[in-house]
Structure formats: C-alpha cells, structure tokens
Amino acid sequence: MSPSPHQYGAEVTWQRAADEAFTDNRYSRRHRLTFDGGTVVAGSASPGVVPLPMSDPAAVDPEEAFVASIAACHMLWFLSLAAAKGHVVDSYRDAAIGTMTKSTAGKLWISTVTLRPEVRFGGERQPSAAALQRLHHRAHEECFIANSVKSEVKCEPVL
C-alpha cells in the first residue's frame, strides 16, 4: 500500500464591508490567510493589479506569496544539501523577484521568478564558487514548488 499524498492547507477568508456595494467593483480586496499551523497573515490583491484603496499594500498579495514559496522551498533544500556536505550556513538571504508579463494568449502570468540567494558560511569548510553553484543547482532541481509551476524559475546566487 503506497502512502497517501501530502496535503497542505491554507484558508482564505474575505468579508464584504456593509457599506460596500460590491457590484460597482469598488470593494476591498483585503482578506485573511490562515495556514494549517495556525499562522494568520493579512492578504490583498496587489496594488499593481487593483488600485488603492481597494487593495492594501501592507498585506501579502498572491504574487508575492508565489515568489516567496519558491524562494523558501529553494532555501530549505539548499540548507539541507549544504548540511549534508558538511558546510555550516550562518545566514541565508534571498531578494527574490517575480516578473509578470502577458502570455501569448494575452493573459497575465508570472513568467519568471529570479532567486538571488546570498549565503554566509561559518566554520572551516567553505564551499568553492563551483560547489556553491552545484548546491544551488541541486536545490533548484529538488524544490517541490519549482517543480510544480510552469513559470521559468531562475536562480542567480549572490557570490
């Protein structure tokens, strides 16, 4: 008997304010994201997609969450692979960027996610530039999220 697939939960909750007509398309896109571990995050449409005040620039938009999930998955794989090679990672920072463009069908999509991980190592065993590139390449190949999307996912480590 094979194991059942892993499932991951997130609840998205939105409520119309009593003074919003809704059908005029001028309603708030602010919502709540509740993750299966209990963390609650404010969500909204991107102000780049839905103008203020109907969006909330302080909240996480789906595009940011998409980019963050790819970057976090890559980081978690990188940390695991670096540890297995005996490298001590002191810090990891990634200023990832997702670029939205129109597809050939005229639909907006995040066509490219560029990861820019900057890793600081401690200890005696420092990876060479080539070994660091190999670790990032392997992390990219193993990342569940990158393997789940049709967008091109690029990795440009800060060396």
Side-chain angles (χ1 to χ4, degrees), residues 70-132:
I70 293 171
C73 185
H74 181 92
M75 177 198 69
L76 293 169
W77 271 106
F78 180 90
L79 295 175
S80 176
L81 294 166
K85 291 284 188 184
H87 301 296
V88 176
V89 176
D90 284 342
S91 66
Y92 184 109
R93 179 183 176 276
D94 189 345
I97 297 289
T99 302
M100 187 177 290
T101 61
K102 281 194 176 183
S103 70
T104 55
K107 298 287 186 180
L108 288 174
W109 71 306
I110 298 178
S111 56
T112 306
V113 174
T114 303
L115 307 179
R116 294 190 177 99
E118 185 173 354
V119 185
R120 299 283 181 236
F121 294 90
E124 301 280 324
R125 193 171 161 89
Q126 299 283 317
S128 66
L132 182 60

Side-chain angles (χ1 to χ4, degrees), residues 39-50:
T39 298
V40 178
V41 176
S44 175
S46 166
V49 176
V50 175

